[in-house]
Amino acid sequence: MTNTADVVDAGTALCSVPAEGTSVDAGGRRSTVTWQLPDEVAVALQINSEPYTVMMATPANLTDFGIGFALAEGIVPHRSDILGVIAMPVENGFLVDVAIDEEALAEARMPRRSLEGRSGCGLCGVENIADVVRVSEPVPHTVRPSAQAILKAAAELPQRQTMSRFNHTVHGAAWVSLAGDIVHVREDVGRHNALDKLIGALAEAGTDLAGGFVLMTSRCSFELVQKSATYGIGALVTVSAPTALALGLARKAHLFIAALGGDNVVIFNT
C-alpha cells in the first residue's frame, strides 16, 4: 500500500513560484514581466528508513518517484518487492521512505551512493565506477513504434505538460500507446527524475510494457537508457539524439531508440 502526503503528491500541483523580472528588447525598451519558476527542492530518499541519497527534484508525484527510483536503479526487480512508500515534508525539503521486503533487498545488488544528487545528473552520489554502467540483460520486449504514433504523441505532449505550460522549464516523460495516445505524463526539473516518476506510475498501474513506449522532452543521455532498460521498457524516444554511450547501451539491451528530427523521426536502433 502506498501512503501519500497530499501536499507533496498532488498530481495537478504546479510546483511553481512567481518571480518578477525586467524584459529588455533590442532597442533598449524595458518592461516588467512576471515568470513562473519551478520548485527545485531537496528530496531525501530512504530505503527501509535508512538514508540512501538526496536528489534535487520537483516536489510532485513523490510516491511515484520513490517507487520508480527503486525499480529503475535496480534496487529491487519487482513492484511487489516494495511494501509501501511514505512521502512527507520535512525541514528544508521532503522525505520519501521506501519500504522494501528485506529478503528482496538482501538479494539485490544495490549500488552504493553518498547523499548528494543534483537535478541535472542521474549519477550524482554514486560511489563506485562499477555501479555507473550496469545494463547487461536485453529488455524482455523490444517495441517498435511507428513514426506516425511518435509524431502524434510529440504534437500532443506540450498540451499535456501541466507544469511546463505554466513555467516553460520542466522536463516531461510520457507513456504512449502504440496508437500514439498519451496515457501518463510526469514532470520534473531533472529529466531522470521525470522518468523515475513515470516508471513509478507505470508500476502502480500494472502497465503492460509491450504495449507502448516512453517519449521524453530531453536529450537522450545514457542514464535514461539505463533506467528504461532496467525496468524493461522496450522503446525510448527523445527530442534530441542519443549520446554514443546511450546508443551503445541501447543496442546491448535491444532497446529501440529514436529522436525527433523536425517533421520526421530518426531511428537509431531498430
Side-chain angles (χ1 to χ4, degrees):
M1 178 178 180
T2 300
N3 298 312
T4 304
D6 291 339
V7 68
V8 177
D9 244 8
T12 58
L14 295 176
C15 295
S16 302
V17 296
E20 190 173 278
T22 301
S23 176
V24 185
D25 67 15
R29 290 179 291 272
R30 303 165 71 90
S31 60
T32 300
V33 297
T34 299
W35 279 18
Q36 295 293 328
L37 308 184
D39 285 333
E40 183 178 25
V41 302
V43 178
L45 283 162
Q46 295 186 347
I47 305 297
N48 291 347
S49 299
E50 292 291 330
Y52 185 68
T53 191
V54 177
M55 303 298 294
M56 299 304 296
T58 303
N61 304 111
L62 290 183
T63 54
D64 285 344
F65 184 35
I67 292 167
F69 184 90
L71 294 168
E73 290 294 309
I75 294 173
V76 289
H78 307 295
R79 172 62 183 88
S80 58
D81 296 324
I82 300 173
L83 305 179
V85 181
I86 296 175
M88 66 182 73
V90 295
E91 186 177 3
N92 298 322
F94 295 86
L95 170 69
V96 178
D97 194 353
V98 184
I100 294 177
D101 179 84
E102 289 290 352
E103 291 187 7
L105 194 60
E107 294 176 0
R109 180 183 174 271
M110 187 165 68
R112 292 187 59 196
R113 284 181 181 247
S114 58
L115 284 183
E116 183 183 8
R118 297 176 179 84
S119 58
C121 176
L123 289 181
C124 294
V126 174
E127 294 184 345
N128 300 313
I129 291 177
D131 291 326
V132 172
V133 180
R134 49 183 166 73
V135 171
S136 59
E137 297 296 327
V139 297
H141 306 282
T142 299
V143 178
R144 295 176 174 82
S146 67
Q148 182 180 13
I150 292 171
L151 293 172
K152 175 184 175 182
E156 181 187 352
L157 183 54
Q159 299 305 311
R160 295 289 299 274
Q161 286 192 254
T162 306
M163 271 190 271
S164 185
R165 288 175 64 190
F166 195 60
N167 58 41
H168 309 290
T169 303
V170 294
H171 290 294
W175 179 254
V176 185
S177 74
L178 293 179
D181 299 317
I182 294 177
V183 182
H184 301 288
V185 178
R186 293 293 183 267
E187 296 176 279
D188 199 278
V189 290
R191 61 186 181 275
H192 53 91
N193 295 339
L195 181 56
D196 284 336
K197 291 177 178 180
L198 179 64
I199 289 172
L202 297 177
E204 288 290 80
T207 301
D208 178 8
L209 299 181
F213 61 97
V214 169
L215 171 65
M216 297 195 65
T217 62
S218 67
R219 66 183 178 87
C220 186
S221 51
F222 92 93
E223 77 270 21
L224 299 184
V225 170
Q226 187 160 265
K227 286 176 180 288
S228 297
T230 297
Y231 185 59
I233 290 166
L236 174 64
V237 181
T238 56
V239 167
S240 61
T243 64
L245 177 58
L247 181 56
L249 285 176
R251 286 173 172 163
K252 289 180 181 178
H254 299 173
L255 175 71
F256 175 99
I257 288 288
L260 302 178
D263 295 329
N264 299 318
V265 176
V266 179
I267 300 171
F268 293 92
N269 186 23
T270 58

